Amino acid sequence: KVYPRGHHRMAAWKKSKSHNLSQFMYLPDLCEIHNPFETGEELMQQWSEYWNMTQHYLIQKTPFMDVEFLERVKIVPTFHAIVMRHPLVFSKFFASHGLNDPVDYLLIWLDSWAHTLRLLSTGNVEMYAVVTYESLVRYHDSISNELTAMIQGSSMSNSRTPKFDNYRHRRLDLHEGNNPSKYLEPNKATIRLWKKCLQKVICNSLLQEINQHIFPQIGYYLEDNIEP
C-alpha cells in the first residue's frame, strides 16, 4: 500500500528508534518521492475501490497529518480540510500502542501541529482550511457551508455542488444520533487523562504554557489557574 496505516506507521517509527513521538503522525511527509505522479496514480487506484467514482467530489478521511505528502502526489485538484482537536482527548490508538502518558499526548499534539502549520505557512499547499473539531460539532452546518463556498471558489469549482452528507460513512462529523454536542463532553478515559496530567509537575507546567501562549490563538480556553 502507498499510504501506510496506523499500525504500519507505529512499527516503522519504533524501528527507526526516533525520540520524536509525533513523527508517526506525518511519516509520509518525511519520505523521498522519486516520481510523485506515479505514486499519486497508484494511491488513486488503491483508494478508488472505496469511492463512488461517478461523483465529482471524492472525500478521503484520515486521522493523520500527511498534508505535504498528499499535496505532493495529488493528480487531481485537492482541498485539505484539516481538523484540530484538543490535545488531551483520550485516544484508543495511542493507548493501544502504550502511549498512556499525558505528556506524550501534549508533545505529539504540539509537534504534529507545528509541522503542519509550518508547512501551510510556506504557501506550498494550494487549497486548505483548518477548523477545530469542537466548532465543527457545534456549528456543523455553518462550517460545512463555508467549506463548500471555499471549494466552489477554488480551481475545483464547477456547476455541481459538493454534498458532504451523501454517504453516511463519509460525513464530516461521523456522529450517531440527533445530538452530536454530546461528543464535546469528555468521557471517563479523557477525564482520567486530564487528572493524571494535572498531578504531574512536568505535564501540568507544559499545559499551563500551552494554555497561556497557544490556546488563545486557536479558540481553546482553560481556567487561569489549573489545579488537580
Side-chain angles (χ1 to χ4, degrees):
K1 294 288 185 180
V2 171
Y3 194 72
R5 296 183 178 181
H7 61 283
H8 292 141
R9 293 166 183 264
M10 185 59 72
W13 173 76
K14 289 180 177 179
K15 186 177 181 180
S16 72
K17 299 182 179 179
S18 169
H19 295 292
N20 187 340
L21 288 169
S22 61
Q23 282 189 347
F24 69 86
M25 292 291 290
Y26 52 85
L27 272 177
D29 284 3
L30 307 179
C31 297
E32 183 178 353
I33 303 175
H34 298 289
N35 190 326
F37 184 81
E38 185 177 290
T39 301
E41 281 193 319
E42 188 175 353
L43 181 61
M44 177 69 79
Q45 183 179 9
Q46 291 175 6
W47 278 355
S48 64
E49 62 180 287
Y50 305 105
W51 283 328
N52 179 346
M53 297 299 289
T54 65
Q55 298 296 312
H56 182 74
Y57 293 95
L58 307 173
I59 298 178
Q60 171 65 27
K61 179 183 178 295
T62 168
F64 301 108
M65 311 284 280
D66 307 314
V67 178
E68 182 176 8
F69 169 76
L70 295 174
E71 184 72 8
R72 282 190 291 169
V73 303
K74 68 180 183 183
I75 59 174
V76 294
T78 300
F79 184 91
H80 305 274
I82 310 166
V83 180
M84 174 184 289
R85 194 162 190 181
H86 195 282
L88 281 182
V89 174
F90 176 77
S91 165
K92 289 183 179 179
F93 174 78
F94 289 173
S96 67
H97 290 281
L99 298 177
N100 295 301
D101 189 333
V103 176
D104 291 343
Y105 281 61
L106 293 179
L107 293 177
I108 289 170
W109 187 87
L110 281 170
D111 184 69
S112 57
W113 274 105
H115 169 83
T116 301
L117 294 176
R118 275 196 300 267
L119 168 67
L120 298 179
S121 71
T122 65
N124 293 329
V125 179
E126 186 178 1
M127 296 178 287
Y128 69 89
V130 179
V131 299
T132 64
Y133 166 86
E134 292 78 10
S135 62
L136 186 57
V137 171
R138 247 181 229 287
Y139 313 110
H140 178 269
D141 291 345
S142 174
I143 290 179
S144 293
N145 290 337
E146 188 173 349
L147 291 174
T148 297
M150 292 179 70
I151 293 172
Q152 288 178 325
S154 71
S155 60
M156 297 172 66
S157 176
N158 73 353
S159 59
R160 302 173 69 175
T161 302
K163 299 293 186 181
F164 289 111
D165 294 334
N166 278 350
Y167 298 96
R168 189 170 178 277
H169 65 292
R170 280 292 179 260
R171 289 186 57 177
L172 288 182
D173 51 49
L174 295 176
H175 294 149
E176 301 285 350
N178 298 319
N179 182 28
S181 62
K182 69 181 181 181
Y183 289 86
L184 298 179
E185 296 295 325
N187 58 27
K188 292 180 180 178
T190 294
I191 292 173
R192 284 196 299 270
L193 191 70
W194 272 84
K195 288 182 176 179
K196 189 176 179 181
C197 179
L198 298 179
Q199 292 166 358
K200 297 184 69 170
V201 175
I202 295 177
C203 192
N204 197 331
S205 176
L206 181 56
L207 186 58
Q208 295 277 8
E209 288 291 316
I210 295 173
N211 186 46
Q212 181 178 354
H213 300 292
I214 298 177
F215 280 175
Q217 310 300 321
I218 319 170
Y220 289 141
Y221 171 79
L222 295 175
E223 295 293 335
D224 290 337
N225 295 312
I226 309 170
E227 296 181 357

